[in-house]
Amino acid sequence: MTTLTRASPTEPEPGTGADMAGMAGRYQSDHHDTRNAAWLGLALGVTFTVSFATGLLSHLIQHPFAGFEWLARPAGLYRVTQGLHIATGTAAIPLLVAKLWVVAPQFWGKPVVRNFAHGVERAMLFPLVGGSAFLLVTGTFNTFHFYPWGFFFPTGHYWAAWITIGGLVGHIGAKAGVTWAALRHGDPSKGELAGQASHGSRRWFLSSVAVGSGALTVATVGQTWRPLRSLSVLAPRDPIAGPQGIPVNRSASSAGITKAKVGDAWRLRVHGRGLDQPMEMTLADLRGLPQHHATLPISCVEGWSASATWRGVRVRDLLDHVGAPPGATVRVGSIQKGSRYRQSDLNRAQAGDPDTLLALELNGETLALDHGFPIRLIGPNRPGVQQTKWLNEVEVT
Ligand SMILES: Nc1nc2c(c(=O)[nH]1)N[C@H]1C(S)=C(S)[C@@H](COP(=O)(O)O)O[C@H]1N2
Ligand SMILES: [Mo]
């Protein structure tokens, strides 16, 4: 690596400003360079855009506005989009650290505000930098079920995403010209950074950041992408570790579910619109209905996923059995109390899909209590949070 021989702080330096003296004078590396900033900015732009789009989609699926119907097919699509959400967010962590380091001298540039446009540009760095750091930290903590804060994670993460993306759009608007020029090998001195890394040295620096980002991603993405499972040393989840070969996100005991609550007295209550009267079904009643297999993943919003073979009663068969009107939508409810994940909704496509099951078996065995015994919902292309366990209620809505 070459080291920049920088003018002494008392010697005015065009472009960077003599006034940058103080703090900025501390940045001696030649990597505080406009092309480094441009390449890292580009990589961050891509990873943040993918993570934002997939995160927004996940939010929309879980909180659909009127008229939005998430499709039941392709069955594994959500597994891919949510895997991408976490993988791109993870990849962005080293990129963001590197980018902040590269542009650090600019934070101390003086005058703090040169003109109105510059003031706006600088002000937008607060939502952008603060929001980005917030998203990556809270997102990572969430994958580890670690919540050292007082707010509800999905809400905080969701609104921070809008604030950050607002800052990002503004930042891209402000920096598009200089970034483009730097990437096209225009005159990098047009940027505000004083560093001038040599071509080889920049290549080395950017490759190191890319390797760091790639390594972190490879070390975690095996939680959802099986071929990389053995390399997945930093992932919070091993996708085959758990009862019946599947991880458990909320165990029966932590949800207050005991064997007694799902014993012989357990009934599935089927009620709702278009039904003359509520029906109560026993486990034997459900076993008496036609049983079907489906191989479907649990795709947790936290980024792990695992595929399994489920066996049980088709929701649409149950709807026919109780005489529900065609095209019905459904809400399922759990015996679990006091959790926002104790119920979930099925739109028409999901309720009518032949693979949407009230599962009684997992990988050839009776469902483990931790996986939702006596029955759980499992359907194609649904977030894990919507694969409700320990059901005792099916409501036609
Ligand atoms: N009743 C109930 N069902 C639930 C949950 C819950 O907390 N309560 N967690 C959901 C989440 S977040 C996931 S990822 C899946 C995980 O299913 P598993 O524990 O069988 O792997 O169950 C879902 N079903
Ligand atoms: Mo989940």
Side-chain angles (χ1 to χ4, degrees):
M1 269 214 295
T2 54
T3 322
L4 178 77
T5 27
R6 181 200 274 281
S8 89
T10 49
E11 221 173 303
E13 214 183 303
T16 62
D19 29 64
M20 268 178 49
M23 285 306 291
R26 289 171 30 179
Y27 298 96
Q28 295 298 314
S29 165
D30 53 353
H31 286 296
H32 301 296
D33 152 300
T34 303
R35 279 194 192 130
N36 277 335
W39 280 111
L40 291 170
L42 187 67
L44 278 165
V46 171
T47 48
F48 266 68
T49 302
V50 173
S51 207
F52 179 69
T54 50
L56 202 60
L57 176 69
S58 182
H59 181 87
L60 199 58
I61 295 167
Q62 293 171 68
H63 309 278
F65 54 78
F68 176 84
E69 282 209 5
W70 179 237
L71 298 172
R73 300 282 157 172
L77 179 62
Y78 182 79
R79 179 184 205 177
V80 174
T81 65
Q82 194 60 13
L84 274 175
H85 178 71
I86 306 290
T88 50
T90 306
I93 296 170
L95 298 176
L96 182 66
V97 171
K99 166 93 182 193
L100 290 174
W101 180 78
V102 165
V103 302
Q106 252 171 298
F107 290 134
W108 310 103
K110 291 225 173 89
V112 175
V113 174
R114 284 203 294 271
N115 51 44
F116 180 72
H118 183 244
V120 172
E121 187 191 314
R122 296 211 80 174
M124 277 183 320
L125 291 176
F126 286 100
L128 178 60
V129 177
S132 301
F134 178 89
L135 289 173
L136 298 182
V137 169
T138 57
T140 304
F141 281 18
N142 181 55
T143 68
F144 286 90
H145 290 193
F146 179 50
Y147 305 104
W149 51 66
F151 57 89
F152 179 50
F153 165 76
T155 311
H157 198 71
Y158 174 74
W159 287 109
W162 279 111
I163 292 167
T164 309
I165 277 303
L168 183 60
V169 168
H171 189 66
I172 290 172
K175 298 293 185 188
V178 69
T179 303
W180 181 247
L183 295 179
R184 298 298 307 237
H185 297 275
D187 179 7
S189 68
K190 286 229 164 51
E192 293 168 64
L193 290 159
Q196 299 264 358
S198 71
H199 183 69
S201 147
R202 182 183 308 110
R203 198 136 104 189
W204 181 89
F205 173 74
L206 290 176
S207 307
S208 311
V209 176
V211 166
S213 169
L216 193 59
T217 312
V218 166
T220 46
V221 79
Q223 64 183 326
T224 184
W225 199 41
R226 281 294 283 277
L228 291 185
R229 192 183 74 84
S230 57
L231 299 177
S232 205
V233 288
L234 296 179
R237 294 291 179 146
D238 177 350
I240 64 166
Q244 302 175 319
I246 298 286
V248 170
N249 227 43
R250 157 87 50 213
S251 68
S253 64
S254 71
I257 310 292
T258 57
K259 278 242 167 64
K261 290 190 180 165
V262 291
D264 290 343
W266 175 90
R267 295 288 180 275
L268 180 70
R269 199 173 116 89
V270 189
H271 64 107
R273 262 173 66 176
L275 270 57
D276 298 337
Q277 55 188 34
M279 274 182 69
E280 302 245 307
M281 302 182 74
T282 64
L283 199 49
D285 294 336
L286 286 165
R287 289 202 178 107
L289 292 173
Q291 306 287 307
H292 292 275
H293 281 101
T295 301
L296 294 172
I298 298 270
S299 313
C300 182
V301 295
E302 288 149 27
W304 66 269
S305 72
S307 190
T309 301
W310 309 86
R311 186 167 182 269
V313 178
R314 283 178 174 155
V315 167
R316 71 176 192 196
D317 286 356
L318 181 82
L319 293 177
D320 283 348
H321 179 74
V322 299
T329 56
V330 168
R331 169 166 293 178
V332 295
S334 171
I335 58 172
Q336 184 186 4
K337 293 212 168 67
S339 160
R340 66 182 84 222
Y341 305 126
R342 63 163 304 284
Q343 62 179 39
S344 66
D345 293 316
L346 294 161
N347 64 28
R348 260 175 306 176
Q350 294 168 332
D353 193 280
D355 279 356
T356 301
L357 304 179
L358 301 176
L360 289 78
E361 287 180 20
L362 163 53
N363 288 338
E365 297 170 12
T366 301
L367 268 185
L369 189 59
D370 277 338
H371 284 306
F373 178 85
I375 55 168
R376 79 168 308 158
L377 186 93
I378 186 84
N381 204 20
R382 283 166 68 80
V385 283
Q386 297 183 333
Q387 313 282 30
T388 313
K389 305 194 277 192
W390 313 293
L391 299 185
N392 68 347
E393 191 182 348
V394 170
E395 183 187 354
V396 181
T397 47

